[in-house]
Amino acid sequence: MKDRGLGSNGFGSLIFHTLFTLFIVAPLLVIILVSFSDKGYISMPFEGASLRWYWAILEAPELMDAFSTSIWLGLGAATLASLVAVPAAIAIARYRFAGRDGLMALLLSPLMVPHVVLGVAFLRFFSLMGWSGSFLALMLVHALIVVPFALRLTLGAIIGLSRDAELAARSLGASRWTAFRRILLPLILPGVAGGWVLSFIQSFDEVTMTVFIATPGTTTLPVALYHRVAMLTDPVTASVSAIMIIGTMGLMFILDRIVGIDKVLIGKK
Amino acid sequence: MSTLTIRNLAKTYPPNVRAVKSIDLEIESGEFVSLLGSSGCGKTTTLQMVAGFVTPSAGQVLLDGRDITYLEPDKRDMGVVFQSYALFPHMTVAQNVRFGLEMRKLPEAQIRERVADALMMVQLGGLDSRYPSELSGGQRQRVAIARVLAIRPRVLLLDEPMSNLDAKLRSEMHVELRGLQKRLGITTILVTHDQVEAMTMSDRIAVMANGTIAELGTPQEVYDIPSTEFAFNFLGQSNTITAKVLGHDDAHTQVSIGSSVIQIPLRDAGTSGELRLFIRPERLTLSSPETGIITGRVATRLFLGNTWTYEIDSDFGRLRVIKVNTRGGQPGEGELVGINWNAADMQSASGELADV
Amino acid sequence: MSDASKSASQPWLLSFPSLALFLGLLVVPLALTAILSFNVFDSMMGTQDDYTFGNYLEILSDSYYYELFLRTALMSAGVTLLCILLGVPETIILSRMQPRYQGIFFVMILGPLLISVVVRTLGWSIMLGREGLINQSLISLGLIEAPLQLMYSMTGVVIVLTHVMLPFMVIAVWTTLQKLDPQVADAARSLGAGSWTTFSRVILPQLLPGILSGAIIVFTLSASAFATPALIGGRRLKVVTTSIYDEFLHSMNWPLGAAIAVLLLIGIVSVVMGSNRYIERKFKQVFS
């Protein structure tokens, strides 16, 4: 146990910690409980549990469509983001060049620009370009806003890696491309894969920007859920949310296997 | 085998860091040359320019007369052993060793044969399917050596390869690696900060400082008759004595040091002015006060097992003397002793270290 | 030499795909939005091609917008304060735990970051209602008599945003905590400082940069949050982001919405830049 001179937890600390954890977990727990209710309104399942609100999702075509849109959007955006982030990460980690800091700041800027502003900007841009309702356009901007996540995890993998193995491969006769494919890529693969999964999650979850540019044909699950909740809170919104919670937990488990969940959540280590 | 020529090689990093100022070096076929120096002297940058990892700012590298200065590293046929060994952690020992052979697109049968040969040469037979993480430090180093020997490189470049081994293993590897290099006749450059390593392994040593070669010669030459003050102090230890020149004849210069006047075998030291003289601690011997050239009093003595190190206050200033630990009485602290030396061992630095 | 120029162009070649994506789909749309904010809007004809400062003048001269920005800033400040008060002690408690429990609670506390904010907000709206869990428990505990109005209130928005933002504060403080040298605290104790003095004079000052950077993140993300204020605050309790949404998708006054968006962006960028400069100036000597 690492003692950082902070002493140990007393009784008060434990109470604080318990309340804190409860505060964090309660809303998620409530959703999962409510989703198993057998009543026609929001209620706890203690007087009768059922799966009826899960079956009800199947009968809500707008939610099913939104779900598949979100899945394909996440897959496409995460893949595209990784494809552009990996070479950029190599450039940033392996070369010293004028404009390096600027490049890095630009690629991380979607983290700082409010998503409302991005949504407005894309809404204007798409309407000028005639791209409204285009799935491809939506995927491109989703890729853009998740690049920071793909970049951060990939950079984390490359920066800790000595260049010697690549240089050794080069002097043993490997071309730049071969050295990348056979040495660097396999070594940074966990970081790249972790970045991909995190990008998928971020794209899948995004609502603030997408709510501006989603059209009836390109509505994502969080946007559909947002619109539904804005009108009424019914048990179907709870069962959809419960599925999203469980799905995210599954992806977190995968992330933990690939890179370690602490690395993903804390960012750097 | 191959000869390597380095001409006026220089590397300047922006804005104006001159890592290597100008290196000239001719390495014979099959020769083992060490670049010896402390960190920041430019030895590693020089090696990286020869390997093709760093693009020189000026100068040329020639391999068998062909200009390879700007050739990509994969076209150079050089085997590099890194300080970190740089093994591919996701490949087994055999996969590491065959990597270079696959790059050369050799037929499978030949690859197998060469991998087996190379692993045999470094005594690693039977470990083919281990991963680097399953090997000891010494074994990893052997894999790194086997990996470059397998491609039969024209030049072998060793970048501090032994610095991560413990002292005993290191001295075993010195002998073994030198044996392999001689047997295979590979032209070799070793970069090291370890004097003993450079001395035991090399045909010639280039002592580097400030991005240039300060001293070049066989190990004995650079130790016994260095031409720069830097080399006197960098290789082994030296006592530095300031002398006043009184005059000279055909073969000797007469100098005064403290209250003594002595002759040293040096012709062109001028007729006046100051002269800095160097003598190594092990070339000074102790005797009874009456029989010494000069006398001194023991200030401190340190016991190192096989030797004693004495600090003696004398007319020449404080002198360090290293004496083999033989049986019998050793002079103690505060004792008066005589100090003797061979006239030829008192030298001056004829050359100046270029500091530009 | 060809090789030298090749290695100079290499990084740009590698970053070309990402640069193209960002220039084409980030820089250009943001520039177009900035231009849009100067366009004339006509309630009958929509957005015109003429340019004017009118949109900005309207915002700057109308107390409605002052209140809007002030409300957003106060809301963000409240969330930030709560996150500091709750997040800092919790992070310290976490750091004292055995690694086994640390891992579990880490995932429990930080994991919600990866769950859609709409889902988390939905959970809260179920709990905050007049007959929701919170009011019911408070009444059955006898603490209140009539249910509190938590939904569609600023209190509710601040509570839920605090829940959403807390993980960021924990991460920021945790990262700084990991860099502390445990021997420094030992040194303080051996020099005669008690445990409280050690904490307040030795540990806390070292945590300050982490708390500050956590506060910047929480403040800016709260000011840019949309789904939570929209769903918990409802249509009447407006903040900057929800009013931008209304201008664009309900009033259809895009130039005015763009002007508010530009002001929000400028506000957030200046908060980030300003406080980063402050942190750097203040802590550079200590933490370089």
Side-chain angles (χ1 to χ4, degrees):
Chain A
M1 186 180 157
K2 264 184 284 181
D3 181 8
R4 288 185 189 278
L6 297 168
S8 53
N9 287 319
F11 186 63
S13 301
L14 286 179
I15 289 181
F16 182 89
H17 172 70
T18 310
L19 291 175
F20 186 96
T21 311
L22 201 65
F23 175 67
I24 294 288
V25 182
L28 302 175
L29 224 53
V30 163
I31 286 177
I32 292 175
L33 285 174
V34 166
S35 73
F36 289 111
S37 160
D38 65 351
K39 306 285 187 304
Y41 50 89
I42 292 286
S43 64
M44 289 289 157
F46 305 129
E47 290 154 21
S50 80
L51 290 174
R52 67 181 274 207
W53 297 112
Y54 287 88
W55 296 114
I57 302 173
L58 297 175
E59 283 148 29
E62 79 280 6
L63 289 178
M64 294 302 290
D65 287 349
F67 184 70
S68 87
T69 300
S70 278
I71 293 278
W72 289 114
L73 188 63
L75 293 176
T79 307
L80 190 64
S82 299
L83 282 177
V84 304
V86 170
I90 294 174
I92 290 168
R94 288 284 189 252
Y95 294 87
R96 295 278 163 277
F97 55 102
R100 179 169 161 271
D101 292 345
L103 176 71
M104 178 94 164
L106 178 68
L107 296 186
L108 292 179
S109 66
L111 293 179
M112 186 164 80
V113 181
H115 280 199
V116 170
V117 177
L118 291 175
V120 165
F122 296 143
L123 177 61
R124 170 65 170 166
F125 188 59
F126 286 4
S127 74
L128 285 177
M129 304 292 287
W131 290 357
S132 302
S134 155
F135 178 80
L136 186 70
L138 186 62
M139 196 188 81
L140 283 174
V141 297
H142 263 246
L144 179 114
I145 60 160
V146 299
V147 159
F149 301 98
L151 183 72
R152 235 176 35 189
L153 283 190
T154 309
L155 261 182
I158 300 180
I159 284 174
L161 208 62
S162 157
R163 255 192 104 186
D164 286 354
E166 285 162 81
L167 293 178
R170 294 278 280 134
S171 74
L172 288 168
S175 64
R176 279 173 204 274
W177 170 246
T178 309
F180 167 73
R181 194 173 50 84
R182 293 208 39 194
I183 309 298
L184 184 61
L185 189 60
L187 293 179
I188 64 171
L189 204 56
V192 177
W196 187 92
V197 176
L198 188 60
S199 299
F200 176 86
I201 294 176
Q202 295 295 339
S203 161
F204 193 93
D205 283 352
E206 212 295 324
V207 61
T208 306
M209 176 200 87
T210 317
V211 84
F212 281 87
I213 49 177
T215 55
T218 57
T219 296
T220 63
L221 190 56
V223 171
L225 193 64
Y226 168 81
H227 286 308
R228 201 178 170 106
V229 174
M231 282 194 302
L232 82 164
T233 312
D234 66 350
V236 173
T237 56
S239 56
V240 171
S241 297
I243 288 178
M244 288 173 76
I245 294 171
I246 306 289
T248 308
M249 280 164 65
L251 288 177
M252 274 166 63
F253 180 76
I254 294 174
L255 267 179
D256 192 35
R257 287 288 107 137
I258 308 177
V259 271
I261 194 76
D262 49 341
K263 259 187 210 166
V264 177
L265 294 173
I266 302 284
K268 55 206 165 210
K269 195 142 210 187
Chain B
M1 278 293 159
S2 304
T3 59
L4 187 75
T5 309
I6 299 171
R7 272 191 206 146
N8 299 324
L9 200 63
K11 179 67 186 179
T12 307
Y13 286 103
N16 195 23
V17 182
R18 299 178 67 190
V20 174
K21 281 164 191 162
S22 179
I23 300 283
D24 277 285
L25 192 58
E26 183 97 24
I27 301 171
E28 307 274 316
S29 176
E31 194 183 15
F32 192 122
V33 174
S34 290
L35 303 182
L36 173 65
S38 43
S39 63
C41 72
K43 58 190 194 301
T44 297
T45 308
T46 304
L47 189 89
Q48 287 180 325
M49 289 193 279
V50 173
F53 301 150
V54 168
T55 311
S57 308
Q60 283 180 304
V61 180
L62 307 173
L63 185 60
D64 291 327
R66 183 176 155 233
D67 188 339
I68 60 160
T69 317
Y70 298 104
L71 201 64
E72 290 282 304
D74 50 323
K75 305 281 188 290
R76 293 193 180 204
D77 254 342
M78 293 194 178
V80 186
V81 177
F82 292 80
Q83 180 171 14
S84 65
Y85 312 142
L87 297 182
F88 309 136
H90 57 305
M91 296 185 191
T92 62
V93 167
Q95 285 167 339
N96 263 281
V97 177
R98 56 183 291 148
F99 185 88
L101 304 171
E102 284 172 17
M103 294 300 117
R104 282 162 179 72
K105 302 200 165 58
L106 296 185
E108 180 62 25
Q110 205 179 338
I111 292 183
R112 280 170 190 281
E113 191 187 312
R114 283 226 214 161
V115 170
D117 280 355
L119 288 176
M120 207 62 97
M121 251 189 280
V122 296
Q123 300 164 29
L124 275 185
L127 295 181
D128 311 40
S129 53
R130 295 270 190 94
Y131 281 90
S133 58
E134 301 168 327
L135 302 176
S136 70
Q139 288 171 326
R140 282 180 209 177
Q141 155 136 78
R142 285 162 191 271
V143 177
I145 294 169
R147 187 171 69 178
V148 297
L149 292 183
I151 63 169
R152 306 199 177 145
R154 300 217 276 177
V155 177
L156 184 59
L157 304 176
L158 308 171
D159 184 7
E160 307 244 11
M162 255 76 84
S163 59
N164 290 330
L165 300 179
D166 65 55
K168 187 162 171 288
L169 201 55
R170 198 183 310 159
S171 55
E172 283 171 22
M173 280 311 287
H174 289 161
V175 177
E176 194 177 326
L177 191 55
R178 174 61 163 160
L180 267 175
Q181 183 268 340
K182 267 191 175 160
R183 188 147 59 84
L184 301 171
I186 303 180
T187 311
T188 302
I189 301 180
L190 167 73
V191 160
T192 184
H193 65 272
D194 181 341
Q195 301 181 20
V196 177
E197 188 166 292
M199 302 262 181
T200 39
M201 296 180 75
S202 319
D203 293 310
R204 281 190 300 158
I205 295 177
V207 180
M208 287 187 65
N210 297 327
T212 56
I213 294 178
E215 200 82 46
L216 179 66
T218 65
Q220 234 182 327
E221 283 166 355
V222 295
Y223 186 83
D224 282 346
I225 44 169
S227 58
T228 59
E229 186 172 339
F230 170 78
F232 270 111
N233 288 311
F234 181 72
L235 293 170
Q237 306 173 18
S238 274
N239 289 299
T240 307
I241 300 158
T242 307
K244 198 169 275 168
V245 178
L246 301 175
H248 67 95
D249 59 27
D250 287 349
H252 295 90
T253 300
Q254 198 175 39
V255 298
S256 75
I257 308 167
S259 59
S260 319
V261 173
I262 59 167
Q263 304 269 351
I264 55 168
L266 190 74
R267 267 178 293 175
D268 44 5
T271 51
S272 64
E274 285 208 333
L275 188 61
R276 285 159 75 77
L277 297 171
F278 303 94
I279 185 160
R280 299 208 175 270
E282 73 272 17
R283 301 286 164 87
L284 293 171
T285 55
L286 300 183
S287 64
S288 57
E290 309 82 59
T291 56
I293 302 176
I294 57 170
T295 59
R297 198 170 291 279
V298 176
T300 60
R301 59 172 200 177
L302 290 175
F303 182 52
L304 281 87
N306 57 338
T307 56
W308 288 87
T309 297
Y310 281 88
E311 300 281 345
I312 298 172
D313 288 326
S314 73
D315 205 18
F316 284 17
R318 177 163 282 201
L319 293 177
R320 174 171 292 183
V321 178
I322 294 178
K323 187 177 181 304
V324 174
N325 179 27
T326 50
R327 276 172 200 274
Q330 307 288 348
E333 285 174 12
E335 235 174 87
L336 198 64
V337 291
I339 305 170
N340 298 281
W341 63 89
N342 276 328
D345 289 332
M346 186 81 82
Q347 296 170 296
S348 75
S350 59
E352 278 307 310
L353 180 59
D355 197 41
V356 193
Chain C
M1 210 51 229
S2 69
D3 185 83
S5 67
K6 192 159 78 187
S7 67
S9 63
Q10 202 94 34
W12 292 111
L13 227 57
L14 287 167
S15 40
F16 176 76
S18 52
L19 264 181
L21 183 70
F22 273 67
L23 291 179
L25 283 178
L26 183 68
V27 177
V28 170
L30 283 177
L32 288 173
T33 307
I35 294 172
L36 175 65
S37 71
F38 290 104
N39 274 127
V40 174
F41 178 77
D42 183 289
S43 53
M44 303 298 287
M45 324 256 291
T47 304
Q48 305 294 300
D49 286 336
D50 306 319
Y51 295 100
T52 173
F53 284 103
N55 301 311
Y56 288 99
L57 288 176
E58 185 181 341
I59 298 169
L60 294 174
S61 61
D62 191 337
S63 66
Y64 171 81
Y65 293 104
Y66 275 117
E67 277 172 31
L68 183 72
F69 275 91
L70 188 66
R71 189 182 307 130
T72 307
L74 286 176
M75 172 192 79
S76 308
V79 172
T80 308
L81 189 67
L82 278 175
C83 281
I84 293 174
L85 292 179
L86 298 176
V88 176
E90 175 61 19
T91 313
I92 291 170
I93 292 172
L94 268 177
S95 77
R96 292 162 169 171
M97 284 184 186
Q98 290 179 17
R100 196 154 45 114
Y101 298 113
Q102 223 171 46
I104 296 169
F105 286 111
F106 230 62
V107 172
M108 279 174 91
I109 291 169
L110 302 187
L113 263 189
L114 300 181
I115 292 170
S116 177
V117 72
V118 181
V119 171
R120 284 182 275 168
T121 303
L122 171 67
W124 276 106
S125 75
I126 293 173
M127 297 205 312
L128 292 177
R130 290 186 75 84
E131 269 111 59
L133 206 61
I134 291 183
N135 272 321
Q136 276 180 3
S137 349
L138 288 178
I139 290 173
S140 63
L141 284 172
L143 290 173
I144 51 172
E145 281 169 13
L148 297 173
Q149 181 61 41
L150 293 171
M151 277 302 280
Y152 314 115
S153 76
M154 191 44 110
T155 319
V157 174
V158 170
I159 291 176
V160 181
L161 272 181
T162 302
H163 176 262
V164 172
M165 301 301 165
L166 260 176
F168 293 105
M169 180 59 77
V170 172
I171 289 172
V173 179
W174 178 264
T175 316
T176 326
L177 206 57
Q178 292 310 298
K179 292 185 202 141
L180 294 191
D181 178 356
Q183 292 188 333
V184 170
D186 291 343
R189 294 304 292 272
S190 74
L191 290 168
S195 56
W196 170 249
T197 313
T198 304
F199 177 76
S200 61
R201 298 266 314 265
V202 178
I203 307 281
L204 196 60
Q206 295 188 78
L207 289 185
L208 221 48
I211 298 173
L212 276 176
S213 66
I216 297 165
I217 294 170
V218 169
F219 184 88
T220 55
L221 286 181
S222 301
S224 351
F226 168 74
T228 303
L231 292 175
I232 303 287
R235 303 218 50 185
R236 271 170 299 164
L237 188 69
K238 287 271 174 57
V239 290
V240 174
T241 53
T242 50
S243 79
I244 294 173
Y245 183 80
D246 281 349
E247 292 302 337
F248 266 84
L249 296 167
H250 294 138
S251 318
M252 302 301 276
N253 188 344
W254 287 21
L256 184 62
I260 304 175
V262 167
L263 289 177
L264 175 67
L265 181 60
I266 291 173
I268 289 198
V269 170
S270 41
V271 166
V272 171
M273 300 272 216
S275 29
N276 275 346
R277 194 157 303 160
Y278 172 77
I279 290 180
E280 257 169 42
R281 210 180 44 223
K282 184 126 197 236
F283 298 106
K284 194 163 191 182
Q285 308 88 322
V286 193
F287 294 100
S288 52

